Amino acid sequence: MELLNYAFMQRALLAAVLVGITAPAVGIYLVQRRQALMGDGIGHVAMTGVGLGFLLSWSPVWMATLVSVVGAVLMELIRWYGKARGDIALAMLFYGGMAGGVMFINLAPTGSNANLTSYLFGSLSTVSDSDVTAICLLAAFVVLVTVGLRRQLFAVSQDEEFARVTGLPVRFLNLLTAITAAVTVTVAMRVVGLLLVSALMVVPVAAAQALSRSFAATFAIAVAIGVSVTIGGTVTSYYQDVPPGATIVLLTIAAFIVLTVLATPLARRRARATAAARPVPDPAECAVPAGRKPPGDADS
């Protein structure tokens, strides 16, 4: 393929594959916990990290990772202790993250709104060798956590109280999930963009759930969808000169629609099979009225 002759496309495709693996791998736990929009919130906070990276002349990816992790921990603490005013605190955190990113990048000597846009919506040509190294290391951490601790994370995502009774460190696992989500956001921001990464964390999982009921199958299908759409979006972006992040998200939504339509007959077939497998109740005329003994049953 022609695009593989260019070093920037080789870097972009490698980053796309890693994003396609890590985003659904974390997203499946967020969907189970009903925190589908957590990635979006972390993306807002990560903007401050990007701006600080330009201001301090440090890697925006690593600075965004650091700030995102701090923001994710704060989000978990607010969820635990925020109670009635938790939503207000989260809103301030999200909007403050956006405002901080815009302010810091404009204060930076080499920063501009154009730089920020490439992180908000993704950019193939700006993925550097150092970005690829950071993405590979961060993606390895995400895969290690989401696969190595899948049973524990699934148990906590399904029922925190039951997981606590069984002796699992629920708060630690919740924090680890939040930190892993923060790392995933920074992995994806060079390809998909901070404002669009949440779609890649959630939509492939929703599409996979339409096809499968088991956790393992859903996990595998979601990752397969994620890798397919990120590669497809990256290649389309190169040939058609369109934004990679928007292309990937639109392909993800299209995959969801197609798989949902295909899964509808399958769901109906499953429902009929389940109904057929149920025991047939006795006819009403065969039922013994309350207070009357069955025929042949005499008092002792």
Side-chain angles (χ1 to χ4, degrees), residues 37-112:
L37 295 180
M38 185 177 185
D40 189 51
I42 295 175
H44 287 67
V45 176
M47 291 173 60
T48 292
V50 172
L52 278 174
F54 279 98
L55 182 62
L56 302 177
S57 299
W58 203 48
S59 168
V61 174
W62 287 113
M63 183 61 77
T65 302
L66 177 62
V67 173
S68 297
V69 168
V70 174
V73 172
L74 287 175
M75 289 169 64
E76 273 300 302
L77 293 177
I78 291 171
R79 189 172 74 89
W80 294 345
Y81 304 113
K83 296 183 180 179
R85 304 186 67 83
D87 290 344
I88 297 175
L90 286 174
M92 292 174 63
L93 183 64
F94 297 165
Y95 299 134
M98 293 180 64
V102 174
M103 180 63 70
F104 289 140
I105 204 164
N106 279 278
L107 292 175
T110 59
S112 66

Side-chain angles (χ1 to χ4, degrees), residues 22 29 45 47 51 69 81 84 102 131 165-166 169 240 284 298:
T22 55
Y29 301 107
V45 176
M47 291 173 60
V69 168
Y81 304 113
V102 174
D131 289 336
V165 170
T166 59
Q240 301 299 323

Side-chain angles (χ1 to χ4, degrees), residues 57 204 237-238:
S57 299
S237 176
Y238 171 78

